[in-house]
Amino acid sequence: MGTYTIAVLAGDGIGPEVTEQAVNVLSAIGQHYGHTFTFHKALVGVAAIMAEGDAISDATMELCQQSDAILFGAVGGSARYEGPNSKVQPERALFRLRKGFELYANLRPVRPFNALINASTIKADVLRGTDMLVVRELTGGLYFGKPSEIRTTAQGTEAIDTLIYTEAEIERIVRTAFDLARGRRRKVTSVDKANVLSSSRLWRQVATRIGEEYPDVELEHLLVDACAMHMIRRPNNFDVIVTENLFGDILTDEASMLAGSMGMLPSASLGTRKTAHGLFGLYEPIHGSAPDIAGQHKANPLAAILSAALLLRYSLGLTQEANAIEKAVEQCIDEGIRTEDLREAGKPVANTEEMGQQVIAALTHIAV
Ligand code: IPM
Ligand code: MG
């Protein structure tokens, strides 16, 4: 029995709808296992820009600092704040959180549920056995490199972004990947563009050097374009994939289609900061704010709920409870409960709230 503090930053679009279900599931876990979760809600993204003048306020950063973990929904998706001329971008909230708390390791597990194998656009035979963990570097590369600007020169307007990585940044993320591979099938695929980019050549050198410290783990290097191809050609051949920030962003949207829907993929962003119970982290579904379906009760809350499971596992050290949520989700999927994104001909569709309630109902039988 424990007492835990969780910062809840639901954000924009479908963020609040799916996060609410994740919070409900956590509350149910609290009841079943006798834990007390204190949820501190705060604004991020467009909602925060409108109410507080910035995508995330200093007070909200402080609130996160005081918490054991952050449960995050999604930000962005408002036409008002898109585009190069917008002064404050809602995504800034994410970047400030990631950088501010040095959450450099973004873990995105991709394991299609058996019952959803036909929901993917990829053939079942190709998919079967797929169980990969993408470890995306999250605080470096093009997202944070300076300069990054549109500027006017004598020759006209130009734009620049900077892809920079230090050896130390590469080393720590590659190490994370190897350590995680040891608890899995002991294979690391390091993804780069070493035939073109200097940053990738350093990446490959460092990955090779660190790999020597892990003789029990197989290391494979793939160019990012080839990786994108192999991901749908032989997805079950991957174990841990480690890559830089932008490559990881793109590859994980691709990988989400292996799981049938973006609405199924959770993520954990971790650094080195410890809490009393585990590693401080931020947990979010990878799907984003999906403004086109916001407020329609259609969104799939499972990625958010599975993110809450990762929160229990990594930040609170509550393994049994995390397993219970994952099992409850799997049970619901096995029973044929589907949200709109996974609609199957002739089967009823659950809305966001119903899906959350079904997971809670399944938990009642699983929790001991
Ligand atoms: C993600 C998202 C973000 C990213 C956006 C919203 C800035 O796509 O977490 O994958 O690019 O990192
Ligand atoms: Mg993305």
Side-chain angles (χ1 to χ4, degrees):
M1 274 192 264
T3 301
Y4 310 93
T5 308
I6 299 171
V8 179
L9 312 179
D12 308 318
I14 61 169
E17 299 163 50
V18 297
T19 306
E20 186 184 343
Q21 299 312 312
V23 167
N24 290 346
V25 169
L26 285 173
S27 301
I29 284 284
Q31 276 169 20
H32 289 305
Y33 293 88
H35 303 305
T36 307
F37 297 113
T38 308
F39 299 106
H40 289 305
K41 297 191 179 169
L43 299 177
V44 281
V46 176
I49 295 173
M50 301 209 284
E52 297 165 356
D54 202 349
I56 184 163
S57 68
D58 292 349
T60 302
M61 287 297 287
E62 182 56 30
L63 185 116
C64 294
Q65 171 80 29
Q66 304 300 328
S67 305
D68 293 308
I70 305 166
L71 187 64
F72 195 92
V75 287
S78 160
R80 229 181 114 184
Y81 297 100
E82 301 297 331
N85 299 324
S86 171
K87 264 210 190 96
V88 254
Q89 266 147 352
E91 289 78 8
R92 197 180 111 78
L94 262 184
F95 303 147
R96 191 171 175 199
L97 286 162
R98 289 172 179 175
K99 196 72 173 173
F101 292 110
E102 278 272 292
L103 304 170
Y104 63 85
N106 182 220
L107 277 41
R108 299 187 164 186
V110 183
R111 193 168 53 86
F113 289 98
N114 279 335
L116 287 182
I117 213 134
N118 291 313
S120 172
T121 50
I122 311 292
K123 286 188 191 125
D125 279 353
V126 176
L127 266 186
R128 226 175 294 282
T130 297
D131 181 359
M132 66 175 88
L133 174 62
V134 182
V135 179
R136 168 187 173 191
E137 201 291 327
L138 204 60
T139 50
L142 285 162
Y143 280 65
F144 296 97
K146 292 277 178 316
S148 169
E149 63 193 11
I150 300 174
R151 60 197 181 193
T152 308
T153 70
Q155 283 73 42
T157 303
E158 63 180 24
I160 182 169
D161 291 294
T162 304
L163 207 185
I164 180 166
Y165 271 107
T166 65
E167 192 169 12
E169 281 173 324
I170 302 170
E171 189 168 328
R172 65 182 179 180
I173 191 73
V174 169
R175 251 181 225 293
T176 302
F178 273 99
D179 288 338
L180 288 163
R182 277 195 166 150
R184 297 173 46 98
R185 300 194 311 283
R186 294 177 187 261
K187 178 175 173 185
V188 169
T189 303
S190 172
V191 177
D192 60 43
K193 189 70 184 172
N195 54 347
V196 180
L197 303 173
S198 301
S199 56
S200 280
R201 283 193 278 277
L202 179 63
W203 185 284
R204 194 173 279 220
Q205 263 176 33
V206 174
T208 305
R209 173 166 61 74
I210 302 300
E212 284 161 10
E213 293 174 30
Y214 296 79
D216 52 319
V217 180
E218 182 194 341
L219 170 62
E220 160 186 65
H221 298 283
L222 272 187
L223 296 173
V224 63
D225 48 352
C227 182
M229 184 265 289
H230 284 298
M231 227 174 214
I232 52 173
R233 183 175 174 217
R234 51 165 179 96
N236 52 17
N237 211 253
F238 291 102
D239 181 17
V240 175
I241 294 177
V242 62
T243 192
E244 68 92 38
N245 206 343
L246 185 64
F247 295 164
D249 178 45
I250 298 167
L251 288 176
T252 50
D253 265 29
E254 185 189 357
S256 74
M257 283 299 107
L258 303 170
S261 163
M262 291 263 289
M264 296 301 297
L265 285 207
S267 82
S269 302
L270 308 168
T272 46
R273 185 178 154 215
K274 294 199 168 62
T275 64
H277 321 282
L279 277 178
F280 179 78
L282 179 149
Y283 301 84
E284 58 175 326
I286 83 154
H287 53 59
S289 61
D292 51 323
I293 59 161
Q296 298 174 33
H297 308 275
K298 275 188 192 169
N300 183 348
L302 293 181
I305 291 171
L306 290 169
S307 298
L310 296 181
L311 183 156
L312 295 179
R313 179 172 298 125
Y314 293 119
S315 284
L316 307 188
L318 301 174
T319 313
Q320 197 188 353
E321 291 82 340
N323 292 343
I325 294 181
E326 286 164 356
K327 215 166 149 195
V329 167
E330 179 143 30
Q331 205 164 299
C332 291
I333 293 292
D334 283 348
E335 282 168 16
I337 304 162
R338 301 280 184 277
T339 38
E340 186 66 41
D341 52 320
L342 293 166
R343 175 193 279 277
E344 279 176 58
K347 288 204 179 146
V349 170
N351 68 26
T352 310
E353 292 74 24
E354 285 161 351
M355 188 54 126
Q357 283 153 12
Q358 293 287 347
V359 174
I360 290 171
L363 266 180
T364 315
H365 308 293
I366 293 163
V368 281

